[in-house]
Amino acid sequence: MDPDSDSNSAASHVSATPPRTPKPKPLPKAKPKRKSTPKSEHPPVPAPSSDDLPITTLHDLPPITHRPSSSSYDSHRSTSFSTMFKSRRPSFDPSDLQSIADPPPPKQPPPSDRVDPSKIHPNWIPSSAPPELPPKRLRFSSEGNFVRLNINGHGRRRSFKTRGKGKKSMRFRRRSSKTRTEAGGGNEVEKDCLEEEGLDLENSEMLARTSSCDLVRIEEAVVAAREVPSEGNLVELLRLVYGYSSFREGQLEAIQKVVAGESTMLVLPTGAGKSLCYQLPALILPGVTLVVSPLVALMVDQLKHLPPVIPGGLLSSNQTFEEASATLDRLREGKIKVLFVSPERFLNTGFLSVFGDTPIISLVAVDEAHCISEWSHNFRPSYLRLRASQLRAKLNIKCMLAMTATATSQTLQEIMRALEISPTNLIQIRQLRENIQLFVVSSENRLKDLLMLMKTALLVDKQSIIIYCKFQVETDIVSKYLCDNNILAKGYHSSLPARDRSRVQEFFCSNKIRVVVATVAFGMGLDKSDVDAVIHYSLPESLEEYIQKTGRAGRDGRLSFCHLLLDDITYYKLRSLLYSDGVDEYAINKLLCQIFSDGIHQNGHFCSLVKESASRIFDMKEEVLLTILTQLELGDVQYLQLLPQLNVTCSLYFHKTSPVLLSIKDILISTIMKKSETKQGYFIFDITTVANCAGTTPTDLLNKLQNLKSMGEITYELKDPAFCFMILMVPDDYCSLTSHITKWLSEVERSKVQKLDEMFQVATFAVKECPKVECSGTMHTPCIQKKILNYFSRDNHTTFSNDVCTKMGQSSPFLHADIKVFLQSNSHVKFTPRAIARIMHGIPSPAFPSSTWSKCHFWERYSKIDFAVVMKAATLELMNFDKKRG
Ligand SMILES: Nc1ncnc2c1ncn2[C@@H]1O[C@H](COP(=O)(O)OP(=O)(O)OP(=O)(O)O)[C@@H](O)[C@H]1O
């Protein structure tokens, strides 16, 4: 995985993240001048990482032992959620907690409120650092919905002691309709419903009892809403489950459509309550609701926020085999109503087979649905898998709910086409939240200006502030600078240990940290209602990103303040980095030749591309390779089928029987021996090569190795993470396929650049041209809102407009001369025009990493000149240079 990428996220292939640094190339001969490229974080909804595309996925799903005998409506009805809710709850161990360095240790709560039952429910996930130190080990009557998730990758286990004795001796008596009217305020009333029989109950057990009482009412309301999904019945259910008295705009309509089985496109502003639009239907609909989410962090957060009566689970590659098995077992037993999965999960045949032919999925909710569209700010290739036709064919899914807060008209059209959503089922609330005030200030010295801003009357007394930076290094610099100036601030970015990150988030959420200086990694799914201010220390890459981040503020409806510090340097840097994913026709052609082995590979042949070496050879980021492979799978013609990623180089050691004897008994071993290199007593082979020769699949081959290992015959090690696929059709015409893919990728690139230009233009307009009729000082809410609304309602975003101010230089007197010198001084290196332009812009790439090339004299020298101009000059000079050399 890209070391710069968010550990539990997946990077958009078009993100500005500098790539991993492969093996250094020979040093250029130019004068050394060290400049490092800062690590940037990915845009809000990045693309797949090893997290969601597990490397060792072969065993990530256990074999299917049995399936529910019936998946009919009635069979699901019979698994009432009150049965599901009879779940054991986890106890957590205080010794697992460690205090975070800076914030004060959490106060020990008074005995009366030691346990907040409302915070412990079946979807509780033990993070490595729960916010409050519990006074004693809590015991719960059952474990039920608890999801074991190795979020932090430590593989650590907790023990969950259970105690069931309270259950039998409890008797419930239903009382008349005293219920809570607001979330969290109902415990007293709930206790009224219980009749105790001399038990000294712990708070948690009290919760179990009170919940059971509520459950009966909720179950009745569910049945009523299922029979007649009228506003009255749905509001009653809303009140019982969430404590809210009414729906927000768009919610009721969306829920009614989904419950009626109609696929729906829902566009609601950030914080407007989209989650509720799949949660309530999940309760009402008979089967499982699959929620497709782009990030593990987001899934975890949403799972935590599920109401206790909706048992949830998630499947993530962070989980161990046992954890994933436990989730799947609960799924088979009908104990999960909402299952969070990544889009890559749809690659996994093990996962797909859990559902078999039986129509037990009632709804697929696609969160951050804009990822489906390449014209969105966060296109993610694996979302292409979420096409209505594919989902219907593979999982018999008929109803889909697509949700987003940030989609242009163009993006919406594409989502609706992919998911076959009728235009009549588009629910769109375009308004921007009134309680967010938008400020822009032009800044020559962002650190100083930020400090001044923090000391202004607007912010000085604010309790909760997020400062967003683009680069990880900036979060360290800014937080240190603020601390040095007596403003306590904590940094947050994806390279921090997971434990520290979760603590910063938890302490921020409980108002123990006032200021967090973060990259985009902070805030995915952050639903802290009382964030007072969001400051953009770096320019966002698009208006979509701007809205997402400002949307973290004022979710409780209170007036909140969003400031943007505008500077040209960040703009130049971001614009350059947007070119880090581009590829040339020549490289794509070379890649296609390798994929199809110049036509040698037949249909049905298994192949692999080792990520690191392929990335270096073709000078393409791993994410770009994956994008191209996905396009070959899901484009107009299906040339290949992607398989789960694997480590494809296997080193095999024999322990009991000799290899020769074993190979007589086992054809697989004899194939391995034929196709292996031997080294000091062990055998090295390529998994896909052996699978092809043995006439098996790579997955089956690994399963067989696993069996031999469990018998003590062998041990083995796997390395070299690779994209694996099966050839389905060899293209007739490589040239036209190459130019088709090149054109598509370059349009995606142009669209990203245009989005940045438009963001820059809006901010520049605010500081330089705003007539200040409605705006005043640095406050530009009216003019920015108008521009944003116009942007999102505009029809054609793929028409690249020349009106967008680029601020980029279009020529330079020394450009050609410098390229000539550069080529002469590096005559031993083979360049492409793009590689030269990248070096001139200071953009690292897999074949030209910054560790080597940032020492070059010309590194970043032309970052203020349009990339296309530099590339054109490089093309010309490269041709001249080659001509001269003959
Ligand atoms: N009808 C309602 N009445 C009151 N509060 C509500 C209602 N619906 C949702 N909420 C609350 O609004 C908050 C935001 O909801 P949610 O997280 O679903 O927003 P979202 O639209 O998914 O936002 P984002 O796009 O930023 O993730 C939650 O705390 C939720 O409980």
Side-chain angles (χ1 to χ4, degrees):
M1 198 176 104
D2 187 337
D4 298 339
S5 73
D6 192 9
S7 63
N8 55 9
S9 77
S12 162
H13 80 284
V14 278
S15 78
T17 309
R20 92 171 55 216
T21 306
K23 281 178 196 150
K25 287 261 169 188
L27 287 185
K29 288 175 194 157
K31 252 194 269 170
K33 178 182 146 204
R34 178 84 192 127
K35 269 198 190 174
S36 63
T37 305
K39 286 183 181 185
S40 70
E41 296 280 337
H42 303 295
V45 185
S49 67
S50 53
D51 196 54
D52 290 323
L53 291 170
I55 299 302
T56 48
T57 46
L58 285 182
H59 307 292
D60 75 339
L61 289 170
I64 308 303
T65 46
H66 69 280
R67 252 185 233 149
S69 54
S70 160
S71 62
S72 69
Y73 187 86
D74 279 333
S75 75
H76 284 281
R77 278 172 68 116
S78 65
T79 317
S80 77
F81 54 84
S82 50
T83 328
M84 292 176 182
F85 192 65
K86 280 176 192 159
S87 58
R88 285 165 293 149
R89 290 151 196 271
S91 56
F92 50 87
D93 185 347
S95 64
D96 287 335
L97 308 177
Q98 279 176 10
S99 62
I100 188 166
D102 286 352
K107 280 183 206 149
Q108 194 83 339
S112 58
D113 57 61
R114 276 179 173 175
V115 178
D116 178 0
S118 67
K119 287 188 181 149
I120 301 168
H121 66 66
N123 301 315
W124 182 71
I125 299 172
S127 74
S128 45
E132 296 289 334
L133 195 70
K136 59 180 177 178
R137 180 176 280 270
L138 299 173
R139 288 163 191 232
F140 300 94
S141 57
S142 63
E143 199 171 310
N145 301 315
F146 170 67
V147 179
R148 287 179 180 186
L149 179 64
N150 180 15
I151 293 296
N152 298 335
H154 300 319
R156 217 181 50 188
R157 293 288 155 70
R158 289 151 195 271
S159 60
F160 298 98
K161 299 215 169 139
T162 56
R163 191 170 79 172
K165 69 178 182 185
K167 250 196 305 185
K168 273 190 199 156
S169 48
M170 281 192 256
R171 183 158 62 87
F172 301 103
R173 182 159 61 88
R174 286 178 63 193
R175 289 260 171 101
S176 58
S177 59
K178 265 198 197 176
T179 50
R180 38 184 167 162
T181 51
E182 267 307 310
N187 285 339
E188 289 308 310
V189 184
E190 285 169 348
K191 278 176 199 162
D192 283 352
C193 299
L194 298 169
E195 195 173 342
E196 217 175 280
E197 287 190 338
L199 273 173
D200 179 18
L201 294 173
E202 289 182 6
N203 283 358
S204 52
E205 288 173 337
M206 185 68 87
L207 171 71
R209 292 178 56 179
T210 54
S211 298
S212 298
C213 179
D214 252 4
L215 276 176
V216 178
R217 283 194 228 119
I218 293 172
E219 195 157 358
E220 283 168 2
V222 166
V223 172
R226 189 180 282 158
E227 278 161 11
V228 185
S230 63
E231 180 171 352
N233 284 344
L234 290 169
V235 169
E236 175 63 4
L237 192 57
L238 174 79
R239 201 172 57 78
L240 288 170
V241 176
Y242 298 88
Y244 301 142
S245 51
S246 62
F247 284 108
R248 287 180 178 165
E249 206 180 346
Q251 286 181 326
L252 177 65
E253 202 190 337
I255 292 168
Q256 283 179 322
K257 282 196 188 294
V258 168
V259 169
E262 295 177 35
S263 289
T264 303
M265 175 80 240
L266 180 64
V267 188
L268 292 186
T270 50
K274 288 182 282 298
S275 320
L276 200 134
C277 301
Y278 68 77
Q279 289 174 4
L280 224 50
L283 256 183
I284 298 168
L285 293 167
V288 174
T289 291
L290 279 189
V291 182
V292 184
S293 200
L295 295 169
V296 177
L298 217 55
M299 290 188 223
V300 170
D301 203 75
Q302 287 176 340
L303 180 59
K304 276 192 208 165
H305 284 102
L306 277 183
V309 290
I310 306 179
L314 73 80
L315 287 174
S316 130
S317 55
N318 284 3
Q319 288 167 307
T320 60
F321 176 72
E322 290 77 16
E323 288 163 347
S325 299
T327 302
L328 287 170
D329 284 346
R330 289 173 60 229
L331 187 68
R332 289 188 199 99
E333 289 158 15
K335 287 182 178 166
I336 286 180
K337 282 298 278 179
V338 173
L339 180 68
F340 295 91
V341 292
S342 66
E344 287 77 20
R345 198 48 66 166
F346 292 86
L347 267 181
N348 193 308
T349 42
F351 167 69
L352 297 175
S353 70
V354 173
F355 297 98
D357 313 321
T358 48
I360 60 163
I361 301 172
S362 292
L363 171 68
V364 170
V366 184
D367 200 10
E368 311 292 354
H370 51 263
C371 295
I372 287 178
S373 165
E374 60 260 62
W375 311 124
S376 78
H377 61 304
N378 281 134
F379 168 56
R380 182 168 166 178
S382 52
Y383 262 68
L384 290 176
R385 226 162 279 289
L386 304 175
R387 289 200 181 146
S389 50
Q390 297 248 345
L391 294 175
R392 236 193 338 260
K394 287 186 177 152
L395 293 167
N396 199 16
I397 289 162
K398 296 195 178 86
C399 185
M400 271 153 272
L401 170 67
M403 300 175 293
T404 179
T406 47
T408 59
S409 310
Q410 182 93 25
T411 300
L412 281 183
Q413 279 167 23
E414 218 173 316
I415 301 169
M416 290 166 72
R417 202 174 325 121
L419 298 181
E420 296 176 16
I421 297 171
S422 142
T424 52
N425 282 354
L426 167 63
I427 300 166
Q428 190 175 15
I429 312 295
R430 276 283 189 215
Q431 88 223 11
L432 297 163
R433 281 204 269 125
E434 292 298 319
N435 64 324
I436 299 182
Q437 286 211 342
L438 305 171
F439 298 76
V440 187
V441 60
S442 178
S443 176
E444 296 280 303
N445 184 337
R446 286 183 295 155
L447 270 180
K448 276 200 178 145
D449 290 340
L450 174 68
L451 186 63
M452 263 168 57
L453 186 62
M454 295 291 286
K455 290 183 174 170
T456 58
L458 268 183
L459 296 183
V460 76
D461 61 344
K462 294 291 174 275
Q463 177 53 47
S464 198
I465 300 173
I466 305 174
I467 301 172
Y468 277 118
C469 301
K470 177 68 190 171
F471 302 105
Q472 293 182 355
V473 65
E474 285 177 333
T475 64
D476 298 334
I477 294 169
V478 172
S479 55
K480 183 169 182 310
Y481 181 77
L482 291 178
C483 289
D484 290 348
N485 286 282
N486 300 322
I487 296 174
L488 280 180
K490 273 283 180 193
Y492 183 108
H493 57 75
S494 62
S495 295
L496 289 176
R499 210 179 164 84
D500 290 355
R501 274 187 286 145
S502 70
R503 280 188 196 144
V504 172
Q505 179 153 341
E506 278 158 5
F507 280 108
F508 180 70
C509 286
S510 53
N511 289 330
K512 289 176 186 122
I513 292 175
R514 177 175 166 250
V515 181
V516 172
V517 185
T519 59
V520 67
F522 186 71
M524 319 250 193
L526 182 77
D527 186 26
K528 178 172 169 30
S529 62
D530 56 356
V531 174
D532 296 301
V534 167
I535 301 172
H536 278 98
Y537 182 78
S538 318
L539 181 75
E541 278 178 33
S542 62
L543 284 164
E544 286 95 324
E545 188 187 328
Y546 181 59
I547 289 176
Q548 285 276 2
K549 286 180 177 168
T550 53
R552 301 296 121 206
R555 288 161 83 92
D556 55 4
R558 285 188 308 149
L559 192 63
S560 50
F561 307 92
C562 295
H563 295 263
L564 166 59
L565 297 175
L566 178 67
D567 71 317
D568 291 350
I569 293 171
T570 307
Y571 168 70
Y572 289 129
K573 185 84 213 158
L574 293 178
R575 206 172 189 277
S576 290
L577 287 171
L578 287 177
Y579 287 98
S580 57
D581 293 321
V583 277
D584 295 315
E585 198 154 349
Y586 152 83
I588 293 179
N589 191 272
K590 235 171 73 175
L591 174 68
L592 290 182
C593 288
Q594 158 129 6
I595 288 173
F596 297 103
S597 293
D598 289 323
I600 297 167
H601 289 161
Q602 296 302 306
N603 303 351
H605 196 89
F606 294 106
C607 304
S608 61
L609 269 184
V610 173
K611 292 199 223 172
E612 205 195 338
S613 57
S615 176
R616 205 162 2 94
I617 291 165
F618 301 109
D619 200 15
M620 286 179 202
K621 283 188 187 174
E622 289 171 13
E623 295 86 0
V624 179
L625 287 171
L626 179 62
T627 301
I628 295 171
L629 288 170
T630 311
Q631 183 63 18
L632 290 171
E633 180 186 20
L634 301 170
D636 296 338
V637 180
Q638 194 179 0
Y639 292 104
L640 50 83
Q641 186 191 339
L642 267 173
L643 305 169
Q645 296 177 29
L646 295 174
N647 289 309
V648 284
T649 307
C650 182
S651 305
L652 183 68
Y653 305 82
F654 289 88
H655 295 291
K656 270 190 192 165
T657 318
S658 82
V660 179
L661 274 182
L662 208 55
S663 70
I664 296 168
K665 283 193 269 173
D666 194 326
I667 180 104
L668 181 69
I669 297 294
S670 83
T671 317
I672 288 174
M673 288 179 65
K674 275 183 218 148
K675 295 287 166 189
S676 289
E677 231 181 85
T678 36
K679 261 193 186 173
Q680 295 160 355
Y682 63 96
F683 296 77
I684 302 178
F685 63 93
D686 177 74
I687 294 283
T688 45
T689 309
V690 171
N692 283 320
C693 291
T696 183
T697 67
T699 314
D700 283 348
L701 191 154
L702 281 175
N703 285 339
K704 280 177 193 158
L705 290 180
Q706 184 64 29
N707 279 345
L708 286 169
K709 186 180 169 191
S710 61
M711 286 152 61
E713 289 286 0
I714 59 161
T715 52
Y716 59 90
E717 284 159 15
L718 294 168
K719 62 173 188 179
D720 294 336
F723 298 116
C724 293
F725 48 91
M726 183 172 70
I727 302 289
L728 294 183
M729 186 193 279
V730 178
D732 296 331
D733 180 357
Y734 280 74
C735 288
S736 66
L737 185 58
T738 301
S739 68
H740 173 75
I741 294 175
T742 315
K743 188 165 170 262
W744 178 65
L745 285 175
S746 77
E747 279 177 3
V748 172
E749 183 180 82
R750 281 184 69 191
S751 149
K752 306 271 167 195
V753 172
Q754 181 157 323
K755 279 180 192 296
L756 174 68
D757 286 345
E758 293 202 46
M759 177 70 238
F760 183 68
Q761 195 175 39
V762 168
T764 309
F765 174 85
V767 288
K768 292 203 176 137
E769 294 163 50
C770 171
K772 300 255 174 97
V773 179
E774 296 156 288
C775 306
S776 65
T778 57
M779 194 283 288
H780 289 282
T781 316
C783 82
I784 295 178
Q785 282 198 344
K786 251 183 235 159
K787 297 255 176 208
I788 289 175
L789 289 174
N790 174 39
Y791 173 81
F792 280 101
S793 52
R794 206 172 70 211
D795 261 352
N796 201 342
H797 282 256
T798 46
T799 313
F800 299 106
S801 153
N802 290 329
D803 304 343
V804 180
C805 105
T806 69
K807 207 180 164 62
M808 302 302 294
Q810 296 302 312
S811 66
S812 162
F814 307 111
L815 178 61
H816 283 266
D818 277 348
I819 294 174
K820 262 187 206 141
V821 175
F822 174 76
L823 286 172
Q824 277 156 11
S825 53
N826 293 285
S827 56
H828 58 292
V829 184
K830 201 166 169 355
F831 292 107
T832 60
R834 184 174 294 275
I836 297 170
R838 276 183 180 151
I839 288 166
M840 300 284 158
H841 261 254
I843 312 167
S845 70
F848 299 93
S850 61
S851 56
T852 302
W853 291 91
S854 64
K855 291 161 193 154
C856 157
H857 187 58
F858 299 101
W859 181 259
E860 216 179 342
R861 177 173 279 198
Y862 287 97
S863 62
K864 291 181 187 168
I865 303 293
D866 199 288
F867 189 85
V869 172
V870 182
M871 218 166 117
K872 204 169 154 197
T875 311
L876 194 75
E877 291 310 323
L878 205 53
M879 274 160 54
N880 291 339
F881 185 73
D882 282 347
K883 249 190 238 162
K884 270 191 202 157
R885 273 207 308 200

